[in-house]
């Protein structure tokens, strides 16, 4: 479970257990498929949360880059900084479009679990964005300081 360090994983064994038919919550032998379908919503939630978090970090980084002065001008006026901010914006927006596409498919009952799993992994890789933002956002608002303390170790 990538990114869920606080959530333990364990194996449960139900040997020689009989469940009355009226207590079944699905077809017999169908639990694995039900669990796998449940992952789609969880993975989409993780992807959306991560993308929203990335957007907040980007907005804070932009504000900091406007306030911070280096070499006699605001940080945001340096071409390399504008390029980094533009690349982060592109990654965030393109991921949002992909996430919206997966969400619409899930709502229509046509979700592809493999694509949603790729989206989740893609968003966890975007924590790199948070690390890039760190060197800009640390001196900004207290909210960003809390986020940096939580994400970057």
């Amino acid at each position: 479970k990538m990114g869920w360090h606080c959530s333990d994983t364990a194996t449960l064994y139900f040997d020689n257990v009989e469940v009355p038919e009226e207590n079944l919550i699905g077809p017999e032998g169908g639990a694995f498929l039900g669990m796998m379908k449940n992952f789609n919503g969880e993975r989409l939630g993780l992807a959306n949360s991560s993308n929203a978090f990335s957007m907040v970090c980007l907005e804070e980084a932009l504000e900091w880059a406007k306030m911070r002065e280096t070499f006699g001008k605001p940080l945001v006026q340096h071409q390399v900084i504008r390029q980094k901010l533009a690349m982060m914006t592109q990654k965030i927006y393109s991921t949002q479009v992909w996430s919206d596409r997966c969400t619409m498919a899930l709502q229509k009952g046509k979700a592809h679990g493999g694509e949603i799993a790729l989206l989740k992994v893609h968003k966890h890789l975007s924590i790199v964005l948070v690390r890039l933002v760190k060197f800009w956002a640390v001196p900004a608002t207290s909210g960003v300081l809390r986020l940096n303390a939580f994400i970057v170790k």
Side-chain angles (χ1 to χ4, degrees), residues 39-93:
F39 285 148
N40 290 337
E42 291 176 9
R43 289 173 175 152
L44 272 175
L46 286 169
N48 286 322
S49 296
S50 182
N51 210 49
F53 179 67
S54 296
M55 181 58 79
V56 169
C57 289
L58 177 65
E59 290 169 358
E60 291 287 344
L62 180 58
E63 286 304 310
W64 173 245
K66 289 177 182 177
M67 293 183 336
R68 173 81 165 101
E69 290 207 8
T70 59
F71 304 104
K73 60 183 178 180
L75 190 60
V76 76
Q77 288 185 8
H78 296 282
Q79 183 178 6
V80 68
I81 300 303
R82 287 195 314 269
Q83 176 68 19
K84 285 184 180 190
L85 290 168
M87 290 181 74
M88 286 190 281
T89 301
Q90 181 271 329
K91 288 179 182 183
I92 292 169
Y93 285 178

Side-chain angles (χ1 to χ4, degrees), residues 106-153:
L106 183 65
Q107 289 172 341
K108 293 178 180 178
K110 298 179 180 181
H112 186 275
E115 183 179 13
I116 294 172
L118 287 173
L119 175 64
K120 178 201 158 206
V121 172
H122 173 72
K123 282 315 304 162
H124 281 287
L125 293 177
S126 78
I127 294 300
V128 171
L129 290 176
V130 175
R131 291 177 188 219
L132 279 173
V133 169
K134 181 180 183 269
F135 78 89
W136 289 315
V138 167
T141 68
S142 62
V144 173
L145 289 172
R146 276 197 316 274
L147 295 176
N148 282 329
F150 175 73
I151 283 293
V152 181
K153 297 185 180 184

